[in-house]
Amino acid sequence: MAQRNYGKRSAQDLLQDVLDMEVDDDESSEDENDEYSDDSENIVSDLEDLSINNSESELGDDNEYESESENDNNEWRQVTDTDFTLDTVDFSVRNTGVQIPPANIPNTVTGMFQLYFTDELIQNFVDETNRYARTKIAALGVLKPRSIWRKWSDVTMMEMKCYIGIILKMSITSACDMKDYFSTRWDNYIPFFTDVIRRDRFLMIHWMLHVEADNPGMQRQTRGMKIRNMVTHMKSKCTELFIPKQNIAVDETTIKFKGRVGFLMYNPQKPTKWGLRVFSLCDSETGYLVQFEPYYGQTTSNALPNPNLPIPLLQLPFWKS
């Protein structure tokens, strides 16, 4: 049987063709049955396509509306303030700024310095230095006849204050060696240093200086342990004397230093390449250092609330409003 060409015909015509084929099948041979099978499958397929096309044509307007609505939902549009609202938290810290009564604010540089380096802190320097010196000298055993430690005597409060003043003066006066500050040569002579303290006495205090001496019962030393009490004292004083305002800044600071410590940092991209890294929180309006955290390496990161962050979080105090 020759294959019929149906083209685009109505459903009624296609159905009539199917009925005609059933009549022809009774009179056809087995070979023709194979062709009929192919034709019937094509007709059924055409009927299904026609039925789908009719249903789509009847619902064409609705589908078009749905597609347009979907496109509208996916389009970008400008968000305005009326689309949503955010809850804002007002700045609730009260009594910000200097926490010293105006009548008690010092009017001299020395008075301002003593607000942080209190007599209690300096007395701690004196006690720890004397304790370390006695332990060190006792460990030497019998001293040589010309040993400088034969002249050792316990440091007093006044001597420790003189020592701190000389250290601050050395930071703004350049010299090749520490002994040059006490030189009596006419080309190097600086009266201030020799008038305040003798060179040998200054060097003995410098060699024995300790903020927190070693304790025999203390566990394994960690970085920063020997200055822990001083750092704790300074943190408390910084937050006690000033409460920051609304705008603050957190950043890392490098203190220039090239001494022998295990947590010395080196960054070739910084103006100060060698130094000690300190994470600091400052008041943006005044530049006041409110809080700080020295960075001793991995031990500092592990001790903070979120050690997984790239920058350690500061241990900030809680200020009541």
Side-chain angles (χ1 to χ4, degrees):
M1 174 185 286
Q3 186 175 0
R4 297 186 178 95
N5 184 15
Y6 296 101
K8 294 183 179 180
R9 306 178 64 184
S10 64
Q12 184 176 1
D13 296 338
L14 291 174
L15 182 60
Q16 184 64 39
D17 292 338
V18 172
L19 296 176
D20 295 340
M21 286 182 181
E22 291 180 353
V23 176
D24 295 339
D25 287 341
D26 296 337
E27 299 176 356
S28 62
S29 63
E30 294 180 357
D31 295 336
E32 293 175 342
N33 287 338
D34 295 337
E35 295 179 1
Y36 162 74
S37 176
D38 295 338
D39 292 339
S40 62
E41 290 177 359
N42 293 332
I43 294 172
V44 172
S45 176
D46 292 339
L47 286 173
E48 292 177 352
D49 295 338
L50 182 60
S51 176
I52 294 174
N53 293 332
N54 292 334
S55 62
E56 289 179 352
S57 62
E58 293 176 358
L59 300 176
D61 297 335
D62 294 337
N63 292 336
E64 183 178 0
Y65 171 77
E66 291 178 359
S67 63
E68 290 179 355
S69 62
E70 291 177 357
N71 293 333
D72 292 340
N73 293 333
N74 295 330
E75 289 181 355
W76 289 93
R77 62 188 180 86
Q78 185 176 2
V79 179
T80 60
D81 296 338
T82 58
D83 293 335
F84 59 89
T85 57
L86 295 177
D87 295 335
T88 58
V89 179
D90 295 334
F91 183 69
S92 59
V93 179
R94 301 177 182 177
N95 300 325
T96 59
V98 180
Q99 301 301 302
I100 307 174
N104 297 335
I105 297 179
N107 54 4
T108 62
V109 177
T110 304
M112 297 296 295
F113 179 80
Q114 291 177 344
L115 290 176
Y116 299 90
F117 281 80
T118 60
D119 290 343
E120 291 79 10
L121 180 63
I122 297 178
Q123 185 62 48
N124 179 77
F125 295 172
V126 173
D127 297 338
E128 294 297 327
T129 300
N130 291 332
R131 183 163 68 92
Y132 177 79
R134 287 191 293 266
T135 304
K136 194 72 173 179
I137 294 174
L140 295 177
V142 180
L143 299 177
K144 296 181 180 180
R146 300 184 61 180
S147 174
I148 191 175
W149 300 116
R150 287 183 174 271
K151 302 178 182 179
W152 172 260
S153 60
D154 287 348
V155 183
T156 62
M157 173 74 76
M158 183 58 65
E159 286 179 326
M160 184 59 68
K161 289 183 178 180
C162 292
Y163 171 82
I164 295 174
I166 289 177
I167 291 295
L168 295 176
K169 181 65 176 176
M170 286 180 175
S171 64
I172 59 176
T173 305
S174 299
C176 296
D177 188 78
M178 186 174 293
K179 296 180 180 180
D180 292 340
Y181 291 103
F182 299 91
S183 175
T184 56
R185 292 170 52 93
W186 68 271
D187 56 342
N188 292 333
Y189 179 62
I190 305 176
F192 171 79
F193 297 99
T194 55
D195 291 346
V196 173
I197 194 173
R198 293 182 295 107
R199 185 192 68 178
D200 291 347
R201 183 59 176 172
F202 173 83
L203 292 177
M204 283 192 290
I205 297 174
H206 183 72
W207 291 331
M208 293 296 179
L209 178 67
H210 266 70
V211 175
E212 186 172 353
D214 298 335
N215 191 345
M218 187 182 302
Q219 298 179 354
R220 184 178 62 88
Q221 290 187 0
T222 58
R223 293 178 177 180
M225 182 176 292
K226 291 188 176 182
I227 59 171
R228 179 177 52 189
N229 55 350
M230 180 179 176
V231 171
T232 303
H233 171 85
M234 287 298 175
K235 283 184 178 181
S236 63
K237 283 298 179 182
C238 288
T239 55
E240 175 187 342
L241 299 176
F242 187 90
I243 295 179
K245 300 181 181 180
Q246 183 174 2
N247 297 322
I248 59 176
V250 179
D251 200 358
E252 64 178 36
T253 305
T254 302
I255 302 175
K256 187 177 182 179
F257 184 73
K258 288 189 177 181
R260 294 181 297 176
V261 292
F263 46 91
L264 185 67
M265 306 298 295
Y266 173 73
N267 191 342
Q269 299 179 354
K270 296 286 186 179
T272 304
K273 296 177 175 56
W274 294 93
L276 307 178
R277 179 178 297 177
V278 178
F279 294 95
S280 56
L281 183 148
C282 301
D283 180 65
S284 299
E285 182 175 340
T286 61
Y288 180 86
L289 178 64
V290 181
Q291 191 59 268
F292 64 94
E293 184 68 33
Y295 183 69
Y296 303 117
Q298 191 65 30
T299 55
T300 302
S301 302
N302 295 337
L304 294 175
N306 295 306
N308 56 328
L309 296 181
I311 299 179
L313 296 178
L314 299 178
Q315 303 287 350
L316 301 179
F318 177 76
W319 292 295
K320 296 181 179 180
S321 57

